[in-house]
């Protein structure tokens, strides 16, 4: 399938020196919100939204954004009961550490709000060029996940969004 698509946002982000213009970012954000809303309308959550899993089309579709890699996707509404999946704790981190919500770091069951938080982190990264917790270096993954999660939880949203449009 990826042979039918163009470059990933990660590839384009690297090519553009780790920063997109505000206009480009907003155009991407609008399409990504539509893609995520469509998944959520179908009662699915992606759980691994990141620039590597967002690709541009080719040819006539070169301005179209595609969300890929549904390996971690999960239904949030049980089709038999029509009820939301139950809240569960003590789960391993699901998704990519850089972009996941604090809930994933805490081991909580993920929901639609966590996809939106993750998308927010992706967009902030595209605008600012990096996220403040990217520099945390710890060799043991579980300790790194914990430290990054604690950092995210304590990092003020006002500071994270400084330099972004209101």
């Amino acid at each position: 399938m990826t042979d039918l698509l163009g470059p990933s946002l990660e590839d384009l982000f690297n090519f553009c020196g780790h920063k997109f213009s505000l206009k480009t970012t907003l155009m991407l954000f609008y399409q990504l919100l539509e893609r995520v809303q469509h998944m959520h309308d179908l009662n699915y959550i992606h759980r691994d939204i990141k620039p590597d899993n967002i690709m541009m089309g080719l040819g006539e579709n070169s301005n179209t954004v595609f969300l890929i890699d549904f390996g971690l996707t999960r239904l949030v509404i049980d089709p038999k009961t029509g009820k939301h999946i139950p809240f569960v704790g003590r789960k391993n981190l699901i998704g990519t550490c850089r972009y996941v919500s604090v809930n994933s770091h805490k081991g909580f069951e993920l929901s639609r709000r966590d996809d939106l938080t993750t998308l927010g982190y992706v967009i902030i990264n595209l605008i600012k060029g990096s996220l403040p917790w990217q520099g945390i270096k710890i060799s043991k993954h579980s300790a790194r996940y914990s430290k990054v999660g604690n950092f995210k939880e304590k990092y003020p949203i006002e500071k994270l969004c400084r330099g972004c449009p209101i």
Side-chain angles (χ1 to χ4, degrees):
M1 176 70 160
T2 56
D3 294 344
L4 302 175
L5 297 173
S8 71
L9 278 194
E10 184 68 20
D11 294 336
L12 292 171
F13 191 59
N14 291 333
F15 181 77
C16 293
H18 296 275
K19 209 161 195 178
F20 286 158
S21 71
L22 180 58
K23 179 181 177 182
T24 297
T25 304
L26 291 175
M27 290 170 64
L28 292 166
F29 187 42
Y30 181 78
Q31 285 192 57
L32 287 165
L33 275 174
E34 287 181 329
R35 305 304 177 266
V36 171
Q37 180 180 7
H38 182 70
M39 284 190 71
H40 291 178
D41 287 347
L42 296 172
N43 298 321
Y44 284 95
I45 54 175
H46 191 280
R47 303 196 309 175
D48 197 21
I49 298 170
K50 60 183 178 181
D52 286 315
N53 289 339
I54 302 165
M55 299 190 75
M56 299 305 297
L58 291 173
E60 292 177 8
N61 293 318
S62 63
N63 292 325
T64 303
V65 172
F66 293 86
L67 200 53
I68 66 164
D69 193 353
F70 301 98
L72 296 178
T73 298
R74 169 145 199 225
L75 267 171
V76 289
I77 304 294
D78 184 321
K80 292 178 185 161
T81 65
K83 294 187 179 188
H84 197 282
I85 55 174
F87 176 82
V88 178
R90 298 185 180 195
K91 298 178 75 83
N92 290 328
L93 184 131
I94 297 172
T96 302
C97 183
R98 179 182 300 175
Y99 301 109
V100 297
S101 69
V102 171
N103 288 333
S104 188
H105 286 281
K106 289 183 172 184
F108 296 158
E109 185 69 60
L110 300 180
S111 69
R112 290 169 277 222
R113 110 186 124 236
D114 300 294
D115 269 357
L116 294 174
T117 298
T118 299
L119 180 56
Y121 287 152
V122 168
I123 295 303
I124 290 168
N125 184 58
L126 297 178
I127 291 172
K128 296 180 88 172
S130 65
L131 294 166
W133 45 84
Q134 281 182 237
I136 296 175
K137 302 243 188 289
I138 297 175
S139 59
K140 189 175 179 189
H141 282 300
S142 58
R144 180 174 177 271
Y145 294 162
S146 176
K147 186 155 183 153
V148 170
N150 290 335
F151 188 93
K152 283 180 187 178
E153 188 170 29
K154 291 180 174 98
Y155 203 81
I157 191 78
E158 297 80 17
K159 191 173 178 183
L160 176 64
C161 294
R162 193 172 293 138
C164 296
I166 294 172

